[in-house]
Amino acid sequence: MCGIVAAVTQRNIIDFLLESIQRLEYRGYDSSGLALINKNNNFIRVRCIGKVSQLIKKTKNKKLFGKIGLAHTRWATHGKVSEENTHPHISSHIAIVHNGIIENSFQLRLFLEKQGYIFYSDTDTEVIVHLLHWEQKKTGKSLLEAMHNSLIRLHGNYSMVVMDTHNSSRLIAVCSGSPLIIGLGIGENFIASDQIALLNITKRFIYLKEGDIAIVQPEQTQIFNKHNSIVQRKIIQSDVQYECVKKGKYKHYMEKEIYEQPTSIRNTLKHRLKNNKTIDFPELGVQEKNIFLHLEHIQIVACGTSYHAAMVSKHWFESIANIPCDVEVASEFSSRKLAVRKKSFFITLSQSGETADTLTALRISKKLGYLGNLTICNMKGSSLVQESDNCLLTKAGIEIGVASTKSFTTQLTVLLMLVAKIVSIKQKKNDIEKKIVKILNILPYRIEEILKKNQEIKNIAKKLYHTKNMIFLGRRDQYPIAMEGALKLKEISYIHAEAYPSGELKHGPLALIDKNIPIIITAPNNSLIEKTKKNIQEICSRGGLIYIFSDAEMNLEKNITLFKVPYVEEIIAPIFYIIPLQLLAYYIALSKGTNIDQPRNLAKSVTVE
Ligand code: F6R
């Protein structure tokens, strides 16, 4: 949700800023801008609405030069998409870029207007920069002190970077509820909201912690914690390859990420399967394993695609491990008075580890007496990882496409391993664990097999891309897959799609059925297939158009298209059946010509509530 890049160097940084901010475009792409301090110690600012490519065009013949600068790509929250609302914002000698929301900005704006400040935008960001200016002018002290004083007045979650023409060899960064990292160079240092922006320049990162303020100069950085004491934060050597963030032979990141899933799952399993027989999570301490022994309930909280993965795991926790499990959307969990079950363990699921709703839920859960907590996350060093007692990384690799794909299947992989581990700990025997390990080892090969059937999916997509509405159906552990399939389609093709449990169709939605609403059904050949076949009949007899994804034999009536799914072990069917639905959404969006990697109105990591 908004991307920030900043640099303080000994060289001209314009190309770096443009290239890096373009790599953060997945965080928001309503508008973008940058500011530099030039040789005459003045701000040069360029902003425009639309994608970063517009900003690149606009800066092209300007011969810009600056050794210190900020850039920003915006996902609008306060104020419409316009050039005036685009960052950076400036107040006299201070410029700022900001991510997050200042909840009391309206009151602060009124106060600052009374002090004579004129606002040129509708943003909460301009409030911060004027407040900083007012604080500094009032006390006559340093910008750092003005920052400390201003932060006391700001309510909300945010991260920001400021630069100052009165001291043009230093950036000040603040991290409070929204991520910021410092990239360490040689004689130059960088700041960004995500390491992807800096990977071509450094592999050494410092993840700022909640409440940190950093002063970043070309040769050094100094970090103050929320108690205003100087602290040393760990330097992390990133193992992410710059090549990973390139599209390679693929048209879109989403396409690349769908096809990467066998590799991502192999990476998720690597070093966690002992002698290929049992599961080991070296990340979890002995104490945690003790908690697993005693837990009697699991509460999982997540958003979007991660929520759908949690819903699949509810079925696994209850049917395989016999542990009651509740799953809730994070924003709902945080909005109500909660009654916590006895001996309950709290789990969050997140690709980014920065989703504000999920973070808030975690913070609330800590006051509610859960036995402990664990996050299953793709981003090492993210806020959720830092704030959770325990973490299992999904190791999907960097996911850039806004619509999640490989993060979903790797979350499911980790969840299934976790279920298996807990069963062994609780039942003190590991036959189920051994069986699951065997099946998980086969999973990447099974996915490779279904990915090869892409031409068939392309053919179905050609028949469906002009449709306006679709319904997705699934039963039991396939219902979350129907929800995830519908979400993928909505996100990238803008086709309205609804998901229902197959058995629920006759309780209302059947009224919608006609030849204009294609119905997508995922139906593995298991104990539920006969019930699903009855549902198919109900739709057929009302003239509905049906697309079935199944390994079962079907009576193919004229309105039915069957995509024959290769056989897969029942337990991993949810991980497997989402693959053709991801491909279907992708090829439909491709036929429609939408912006697949950056769908309208969305951003990859949602750092506002
Ligand atoms: C869907 C999608 C979103 C995210 C949701 C949670 O394709 O990407 O629905 O799943 O915003 O994000 P994370 O998993 O980063 O917490």
Side-chain angles (χ1 to χ4, degrees), residues 499-564:
Y500 293 101
S502 311
E504 196 54 20
L505 195 68
K506 57 186 174 298
H507 297 289
L510 207 53
L512 294 171
I513 303 299
D514 67 15
K515 62 178 181 351
N516 298 317
I517 301 195
I519 316 282
I520 309 289
I521 304 178
T522 57
N525 192 5
N526 58 26
S527 57
L528 300 170
I529 193 71
E530 290 311 319
K531 286 190 174 180
T532 304
K533 281 183 178 172
K534 272 192 216 144
N535 300 138
I536 293 168
Q537 275 315 312
E538 286 156 13
I539 302 165
C540 264
S541 49
R542 285 155 184 89
L545 260 186
I546 307 177
Y547 293 83
I548 305 172
F549 291 75
S550 180
D551 55 340
E553 293 306 321
M554 293 280 165
N555 188 7
L556 292 183
E557 295 187 22
K558 108 168 167 313
N559 285 353
I560 298 182
T561 304
L562 175 66
F563 174 90
K564 201 84 186 152

Side-chain angles (χ1 to χ4, degrees), residues 61-194:
N61 297 318
K62 285 199 155 77
K63 296 209 168 75
L64 299 177
F65 184 92
K67 296 178 183 174
I68 179 168
L70 315 167
H72 188 267
T73 176
R74 180 168 185 249
W75 188 81
T77 52
H78 273 69
K80 63 178 197 266
V81 179
S82 68
E83 195 167 315
E84 295 72 37
N85 287 337
T86 303
H87 302 213
H89 293 280
I90 293 177
S91 184
S92 176
H93 58 96
I94 310 167
I96 188 170
V97 286
H98 153 236
N99 182 9
I101 286 188
I102 306 301
E103 287 157 6
N104 57 336
S105 68
F106 181 69
Q107 295 87 324
L108 289 170
R109 188 181 176 115
L110 291 180
F111 167 77
L112 289 162
E113 276 170 348
K114 277 196 196 133
Q115 310 305 313
Y117 285 91
I118 297 169
F119 281 80
Y120 296 96
S121 78
D122 306 317
T123 63
D124 48 354
T125 312
E126 201 182 358
V127 171
I128 311 175
V129 74
H130 287 321
L131 183 66
L132 270 171
H133 183 263
W134 177 78
E135 278 287 354
Q136 191 177 23
K137 210 167 124 201
K138 183 181 72 168
T139 57
K141 293 196 173 155
S142 70
L143 185 60
L144 184 63
E145 279 186 60
M147 181 62 90
H148 278 297
N149 294 340
S150 303
L151 292 183
I152 297 166
R153 291 169 175 263
L154 299 178
H155 302 164
N157 288 327
Y158 48 81
S159 59
M160 61 180 103
V161 184
V162 298
M163 65 179 181
D164 172 10
T165 52
H166 291 175
N167 185 345
S168 59
S169 60
R170 157 204 86 171
L171 297 161
I172 300 180
V174 180
C175 174
S176 182
S178 180
L180 266 191
I181 57 162
I182 299 174
L184 303 170
I186 298 168
E188 54 185 15
N189 285 314
F190 309 89
I191 302 168
S193 34
D194 190 323

Side-chain angles (χ1 to χ4, degrees), residues 303-306 350-352 355 402-404 487-488 491:
C303 302
T305 291
S306 299
S350 175
Q351 188 285 128
S352 62
T355 302
V402 164
S404 293
L487 179 64
K488 291 288 87 90
E491 280 181 298

Side-chain angles (χ1 to χ4, degrees), residues 339-359:
V340 176
R341 301 273 197 103
K342 230 174 60 192
K343 298 194 181 169
S344 182
F345 188 70
F346 188 82
I347 300 180
T348 55
L349 276 188
S350 175
Q351 188 285 128
S352 62
E354 302 298 347
T355 302
D357 289 325
T358 312
L359 264 168

